[in-house]
Amino acid sequence: MSMLEMLCRDTLLYNYKTYILKFLPAQKRIYSERNRCGVAAVTVILSSSPFVTKTMVGPARPQFVLFGSSIVQLGFSNGGWGAILSDIYARKADILLRGYYGWNSRRALQVLDQVFPKDAPIQPSLVIVYFGGNDSMGPHPSGLGPHVPLPEYVENMRRIATHLKSLSCATRIIFLSTPPVDEARINQGTSEIFSELVRTNELCQKYSDACINLCHDLGVKAVDLFTAIQKRDDWKNACFTDGIHLSEEGSKIVVAEILKVLKQAEWKPSLHWKSMPTEFSEDSLYDLVAASGERTLNPSDWTFHREIQWD
């Protein structure tokens, strides 16, 4: 592998613009930067590097970024809500996970500019944010740990929302509030590895309510997970793998609530999956042949494989 290809591998995939300007000042290049309203796509053509052209994936799709703690990181585990969204938005949008196990809103602020740089050539169409479960844990006597006092949590979430709003006038935001927990199962599942976990539904509700109220003040869409999950009678057993993290059934509730917001939002363009174009949806002579033998069947929007026919 040449030095140029090594630089491409280690740098270009993370920051096209920095790479081009810093490492390839004399190379022939075309750089079309997405504008502030997210209208144009980004195109990078480097004439002397076959490595780059082989790794670029297109055409560009809208990006939905899931940003948060372990409920986001595990979004593709156990039939998770990230995986479900990826299926629903197949050929429509790319679902990107930026989840970090054990994180709180303080740590999120530390990396916010790195995860969502304002000068990125492509900005996400949608960011779904979840922090609160770790923030709402009771404080540890040592002062260590993930607990964040409620007023600080609210301010941290405000700063996150403000930053995301500044990325592009076309970037939409949804906050997920703190879900409930199965206190009995948490208390039974103590471990010698961790100190006692102080997680109560009283604390979860306070942080959930604070998140919802903040979203109302900021004009940000919100999903009240604390209420939504408890609408199911058997939520304690059905919705969690360990009393805290979501099972497949819990994830289905999250997806249903997100789709409800996306369907009702008066965003233009709409980000609801039924309103978004399907990639390469044109009819083709190479599709499967219908029983009549006289035409082909276009499968681009088939959904019969899904257990749930999402609205």
Side-chain angles (χ1 to χ4, degrees):
M1 180 181 291
S2 69
M3 180 61 70
L4 177 61
E5 290 172 342
M6 291 176 65
L7 288 173
C8 288
R9 179 195 64 189
D10 297 335
T11 307
L12 182 58
L13 297 180
Y14 295 96
N15 193 326
Y16 304 125
K17 190 172 184 179
T18 299
Y19 175 84
I20 294 168
L21 297 179
K22 185 175 181 180
F23 294 105
L24 294 174
Q27 294 291 334
K28 179 181 178 182
R29 59 185 180 264
I30 299 175
Y31 185 86
S32 175
E33 184 173 353
R34 177 177 179 155
N35 63 26
R36 293 287 294 170
C37 289
V39 175
V42 62
T43 304
V44 180
I45 301 175
L46 303 178
S47 60
S48 62
S49 178
F51 176 84
V52 175
T53 58
K54 290 180 181 178
T55 57
M56 296 289 283
V57 178
R61 298 177 182 175
Q63 293 183 353
F64 292 4
V65 182
L66 315 184
F67 179 50
S69 55
S70 55
I71 282 181
V72 173
Q73 181 174 329
L74 301 178
F76 276 58
S77 301
N78 305 308
W81 59 285
I84 298 173
L85 286 175
S86 287
D87 176 48
I88 294 172
Y89 280 89
R91 299 174 66 168
K92 295 175 181 288
D94 289 331
I95 310 299
L96 306 179
L97 288 188
R98 293 298 181 268
Y100 306 92
Y101 214 116
W103 279 32
N104 59 14
S105 59
R106 282 177 182 166
R107 292 209 68 184
L109 284 177
Q110 291 175 342
V111 303
L112 196 57
D113 287 317
Q114 295 171 260
V115 179
F116 299 100
K118 291 186 179 182
D119 62 348
I122 296 179
Q123 295 294 357
S125 297
L126 174 67
V127 183
I128 301 177
V129 181
Y130 167 72
F131 290 101
N134 296 314
D135 300 68
S136 64
M137 290 179 64
H140 192 271
S142 67
L144 301 173
H147 170 73
V148 174
L150 185 58
E152 182 187 345
Y153 165 73
V154 172
E155 182 57 28
N156 291 346
M157 298 300 283
R158 183 189 303 275
R159 291 173 63 186
I160 291 172
T162 300
H163 180 87
L164 295 176
K165 284 185 173 184
S166 72
L167 298 178
S168 163
C169 62
T171 297
R172 310 304 184 185
I173 308 166
I174 300 175
F175 276 13
L176 308 181
S177 80
T178 306
V181 295
D182 182 355
E183 295 179 18
R185 203 178 338 173
I186 293 172
N187 293 331
Q188 292 171 0
T190 56
S191 168
E192 295 180 358
I193 300 176
F194 303 107
S195 62
E196 181 181 359
L197 296 177
V198 181
R199 290 183 184 265
T200 68
N201 281 317
E202 181 181 2
L203 287 171
C204 289
Q205 183 168 16
K206 288 180 179 179
Y207 282 70
S208 175
D209 290 345
C211 179
I212 299 299
N213 290 335
L214 173 65
C215 289
H216 182 267
D217 293 341
L218 297 178
V220 170
K221 301 295 184 182
V223 170
D224 183 354
L225 288 185
F226 189 84
T227 299
I229 287 178
Q230 292 185 82
K231 289 180 180 179
R232 180 165 173 159
D233 293 337
D234 61 346
W235 66 269
K236 291 183 179 180
N237 294 323
C239 294
F240 302 104
T241 59
D242 56 6
I244 299 172
H245 299 104
L246 297 171
S247 65
E248 183 174 357
E249 293 303 310
S251 284
K252 290 175 182 177
I253 294 174
V254 177
V255 170
E257 294 298 317
I258 290 172
L259 292 180
K260 189 185 302 181
V261 170
L262 293 174
K263 186 174 183 178
Q264 295 175 352
E266 296 180 355
W267 291 335
K268 295 182 180 180
S270 172
L271 297 180
H272 186 258
W273 70 278
K274 288 185 178 179
S275 300
M276 296 178 68
T278 300
E279 189 175 276
F280 300 130
S281 60
E282 63 274 5
D283 293 338
S284 171
L285 296 176
Y286 306 118
D287 288 336
L288 295 173
V289 181
S292 65
E294 298 176 354
R295 63 185 181 90
T296 57
L297 302 173
N298 188 330
S300 58
D301 286 315
W302 286 356
T303 62
F304 64 85
H305 65 282
R306 294 177 185 162
E307 177 187 359
I308 297 175
Q309 292 299 307
W310 297 98
D311 189 15

